[in-house]
Amino acid sequence: MVTTAKMPVKKKAYRGAKGDAVDELLAKFLAENDCEVPIIRLGGGYYMFGTKKIYSKILNNKLVIRVGGGYMVIGEFIITYQEPELKKIEALPLE
């Protein structure tokens, strides 16, 4: 029998890597806005957003995420992808 994850996990505040402008901007955004999906820094602008690998950079002084052939500002990205990603995470079997 496979059990699925249902319990909410208390998240730690995201801390940006000093000297990494993208990561510092992401940390500032997450401190000011709600995001339930875990975000893990991989380096070089790459992050894991739940189960999805994303690329982020600063464009026109805004934090943007690569989506398809273009970019989406971080707030719009989270609004669009947070719910589907949380459903994916919930459906993952527990080890």
Side-chain angles (χ1 to χ4, degrees):
M1 180 167 95
V2 176
T3 313
T4 57
K6 298 287 183 197
M7 296 179 60
V9 177
K10 186 175 180 181
K11 287 180 49 173
K12 292 182 181 178
Y14 186 86
R15 299 176 103 186
K18 291 190 180 203
D20 183 338
V22 170
D23 205 43
E24 288 175 351
L25 203 51
L26 176 62
K28 182 177 187 282
F29 177 85
L30 293 173
E32 297 170 356
N33 298 276
D34 187 38
C35 178
E36 297 177 40
V37 176
I39 298 176
I40 300 168
R41 180 176 186 259
L42 301 175
Y46 288 94
Y47 295 83
M48 288 303 297
F49 178 76
T51 64
K52 180 187 219 53
K53 186 176 180 181
I54 61 171
Y55 176 72
S56 183
K57 72 177 192 174
I58 299 170
L59 189 63
N60 297 325
N61 295 318
K62 294 183 181 175
L63 184 62
V64 295
I65 309 296
R66 181 82 174 166
V67 178
Y71 289 91
M72 188 181 277
V73 292
I74 185 74
E76 183 183 352
F77 176 83
I78 289 175
I79 289 168
T80 303
Y81 292 100
Q82 178 171 251
E83 199 59 41
E85 195 58 35
L86 287 172
K87 287 180 183 177
K88 252 200 248 184
I89 292 168
E90 267 187 17
L92 291 174
L94 292 175
E95 294 182 12

